[in-house]
């Protein structure tokens, strides 16, 4: 399949840059919100036909150049014999939860979990889609933070008091993620993005000791299978060298630095993705046009550039504003 996204990932795009948005599937589209009124998130995440439908909504309604699978980074815990839920619009809750190193005994790698609802959805999307499909999983440290009952506080405690237990937990998540990614790849996704939302917010030493090795393992796992791998770490602008060292196909950047500066920092064979502040999409359309154009001008004729936001779409972003952003790139 030739496409703007795949060409840009190969740093060989001679046309306009492709555009898609993190969290474009779900969250903001009125047609998605209508489905959410009558279905729980857990139901939606396990229903192949609805997964396909939601995944394709932003392609049909916004005209983006890539689809991203409608799923969540917590799906992977099923491959560890655990389950997850989203009580009352909060973040994910895993059960049974991990409170002490002793609880790691509950975790088992379950190769028999085949995620057939996801693989069937991928096949259905591939039959219909006119743009590439991005599969994904979470960065192991970010997933670990949600698995620990005490969240970030417990993570920090384990970094200091229980580093060996934390390494064991990360290794479990990494193994389960490889299994889950291989099923997505076999089912036909065109690229993978690793969402490591929280690890870049750790002190640098802890990022290097705990988060980066797991990300390196997953990145090689994907690229060894000849599938492009995009790495998203919130805080990437300040971790550029470390992220280059794990040899991803592309790095997705937040808005802490100018995109052309980041382009210069990254070797030319690695694509860059980003980096409009999602809050700009809350401003009037004129401002959105102006800020998007400013970003595009900095990256004129760049063969390895993918337009995106610096983090996910904010839940209350007006639909018309999102369309303005996409149309500004496409024109
Ligand atoms: O891009 C897409 O829209 C594809 C689907 C997708 C979801 N979650 C669906 C979802 C993706 C790529 C994710 C990734 C994800 N999930 C991340 C990493 C990206 C990031 O934003 O930092 C994280 C940290 C999570 C964990 C998570 N899932 C949280 C904290 C929440 C609750 C808050 C929220 O709404 O995001 C979720 C729930 C979730 N995942 C929803 C959706 C569409 C909830 C929306 C609803 O209430 O219907």
């Amino acid at each position: 399949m030739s496409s703007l996204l795949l060409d840009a990932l190969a740093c060989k795009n001679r046309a306009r840059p492709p555009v898609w948005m993190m969290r474009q599937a779900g969250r903001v589209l009125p047609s998605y919100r209508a489905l959410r009124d009558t279905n729980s998130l857990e139901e939606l995440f396990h229903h192949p036909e609805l997964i396909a439908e939601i995944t394709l909504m932003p392609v049909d309604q916004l005209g983006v150049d890539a689809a991203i699978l409608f799923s969540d980074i917590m799906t992977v815990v099923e491959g560890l014999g655990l389950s997850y839920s989203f009580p009352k619009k909060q973040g994910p809750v895993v059960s049974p939860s991990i409170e002490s190193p002793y609880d790691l005994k509950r975790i088992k790698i379950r190769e028999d979990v085949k995620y057939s609802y996801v693989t069937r959805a991928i096949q259905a999307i591939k039959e219909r889609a006119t743009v590439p499909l991005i599969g994904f999983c979470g960065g192991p440290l970010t997933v670990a933070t949600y698995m620990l009952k005490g969240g970030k506080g417990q993570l920090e405690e384990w970094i200091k008091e229980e580093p060996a237990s934390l390494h064991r937990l990360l290794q479990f998540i990494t193994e389960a993620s490889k299994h889950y990614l291989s099923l997505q790849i076999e089912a036909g996704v065109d690229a993978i993005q690793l969402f490591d939302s929280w690890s870049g917010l750790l002190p640098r030493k802890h990022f290097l000791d705990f988060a980066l090795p797991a990300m390196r393992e997953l990145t090689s796992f994907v690229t060894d299978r000849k599938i492009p791998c995009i790495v998203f770490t919130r805080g990437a602008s300040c971790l550029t060298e470390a992220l280059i060292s794990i040899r991803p196909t592309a790095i997705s950047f937040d808005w802490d630095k100018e995109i052309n500066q980041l382009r210069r920092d990254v070797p030319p064979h690695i694509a860059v993705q980003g980096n409009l502040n999602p809050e700009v999409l809350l401003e009037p359309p004129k401002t959105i046009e102006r800020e998007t154009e400013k970003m595009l001008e900095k990256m004129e004729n760049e063969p390895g550039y993918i337009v995106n936001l610096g983090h996910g779409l904010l839940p209350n972003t007006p639909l018309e504003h999102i369309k303005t952003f996409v149309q500004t790139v496409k024109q």
Side-chain angles (χ1 to χ4, degrees), residues 206-269:
H206 297 156
F207 171 79
L208 296 175
D209 287 351
F210 293 95
L212 197 65
M215 289 292 276
R216 174 178 284 121
E217 215 174 313
L218 292 182
T219 303
S220 328
F221 184 83
V222 174
T223 55
D224 285 352
R225 282 156 186 75
K226 308 285 176 244
I227 297 289
C229 186
I230 310 166
V231 167
F232 167 76
T233 301
R234 179 81 179 90
S237 304
C238 302
L239 299 163
T240 310
E241 262 178 60
L243 293 172
I244 292 168
S245 80
I246 68 173
R247 302 171 60 178
T249 315
I251 304 176
S252 194
F253 283 105
D254 53 67
W255 56 95
D256 292 347
K257 288 187 183 158
E258 303 284 337
I259 192 78
N260 51 340
Q261 171 66 48
L262 293 161
R263 175 67 281 179
R264 284 194 291 275
D265 293 347
V266 174
H269 64 279

Side-chain angles (χ1 to χ4, degrees), residues 87-103:
K88 292 181 251 99
K89 290 200 167 183
Q90 293 167 29
V93 172
V94 172
S95 84
S97 61
I98 309 296
E99 289 179 56
S100 74
Y102 183 82
D103 295 332

Side-chain angles (χ1 to χ4, degrees), residues 22-27 32-33 36 41 45 68-73 86 90-92 136 142 146 195 197-198 232 311:
M22 294 187 266
R23 312 303 290 270
Q24 68 184 20
R27 242 188 195 183
Y32 166 76
R33 303 289 352 153
R36 271 293 273 128
L41 263 187
F45 285 144
I68 179 153
L69 185 70
F70 176 74
S71 182
D72 195 75
I73 59 166
F86 296 90
Q90 293 167 29
F136 72 91
T142 297
Y146 287 109
F195 284 92
S197 309
W198 302 128
F232 167 76
H311 198 174

Side-chain angles (χ1 to χ4, degrees), residues 85-328:
S85 60
F86 296 90
K88 292 181 251 99
K89 290 200 167 183
Q90 293 167 29
V93 172
V94 172
S95 84
S97 61
I98 309 296
E99 289 179 56
S100 74
Y102 183 82
D103 295 332
L104 295 179
K105 289 197 169 62
R106 292 174 173 159
I107 297 180
K108 293 214 163 45
I109 297 284
R110 295 270 311 267
E111 296 266 344
D112 57 310
V113 172
K114 297 292 183 203
Y115 297 97
S116 64
Y117 54 93
V118 170
T119 55
R120 279 159 57 202
I122 292 172
Q123 286 152 5
I125 296 161
K126 289 299 294 170
E127 278 168 23
R128 290 179 229 165
T130 50
V131 295
L133 173 63
I134 302 169
F136 72 91
C137 76
L141 191 118
T142 297
V143 174
T145 311
Y146 287 109
M147 283 175 76
L148 296 172
K149 179 126 200 266
K152 194 156 178 284
Q154 193 180 342
L155 179 82
E156 282 161 357
E157 195 188 302
W158 277 34
I159 285 175
K160 292 201 187 77
E161 315 287 340
E162 293 290 345
S165 300
L166 181 58
H167 277 301
R168 253 186 82 214
L169 176 59
L170 291 169
Q171 198 52 46
F172 273 128
I173 300 168
T174 307
E175 282 311 312
S177 302
K178 285 186 194 169
H179 172 61
Y180 183 43
L181 288 174
S182 69
L183 293 170
Q184 293 184 43
I185 291 171
E186 277 165 33
V189 298
D190 300 291
I192 292 289
Q193 176 153 324
L194 305 178
F195 284 92
D196 203 10
S197 309
W198 302 128
S199 67
L201 308 175
L202 291 176
R204 190 179 183 80
K205 180 182 178 339
H206 297 156
F207 171 79
L208 296 175
D209 287 351
F210 293 95
L212 197 65
M215 289 292 276
R216 174 178 284 121
E217 215 174 313
L218 292 182
T219 303
S220 328
F221 184 83
V222 174
T223 55
D224 285 352
R225 282 156 186 75
K226 308 285 176 244
I227 297 289
C229 186
I230 310 166
V231 167
F232 167 76
T233 301
R234 179 81 179 90
S237 304
C238 302
L239 299 163
T240 310
E241 262 178 60
L243 293 172
I244 292 168
S245 80
I246 68 173
R247 302 171 60 178
T249 315
I251 304 176
S252 194
F253 283 105
D254 53 67
W255 56 95
D256 292 347
K257 288 187 183 158
E258 303 284 337
I259 192 78
N260 51 340
Q261 171 66 48
L262 293 161
R263 175 67 281 179
R264 284 194 291 275
D265 293 347
V266 174
H269 64 279
I270 297 179
V272 297
Q273 175 174 281
N275 69 345
L276 195 73
N277 183 341
E279 286 183 6
V280 171
L281 297 198
L282 303 176
E283 302 282 335
K286 279 273 162 258
T287 312
I288 299 170
E289 271 172 30
R290 195 185 62 229
E291 292 303 311
T292 307
E293 275 161 12
K294 262 205 263 173
M295 185 172 76
L296 292 171
E297 275 160 23
K298 287 182 195 136
M299 297 299 270
E300 242 179 301
N301 300 322
E302 263 303 329
Y305 175 45
I306 301 153
V307 180
N308 207 314
L309 305 173
H311 198 174
L313 267 173
L314 296 167
N316 47 352
T317 310
L319 189 59
E320 286 312 310
H321 292 194
I322 305 172
K323 287 183 179 164
T324 301
F325 171 61
V326 174
Q327 281 312 313
T328 307

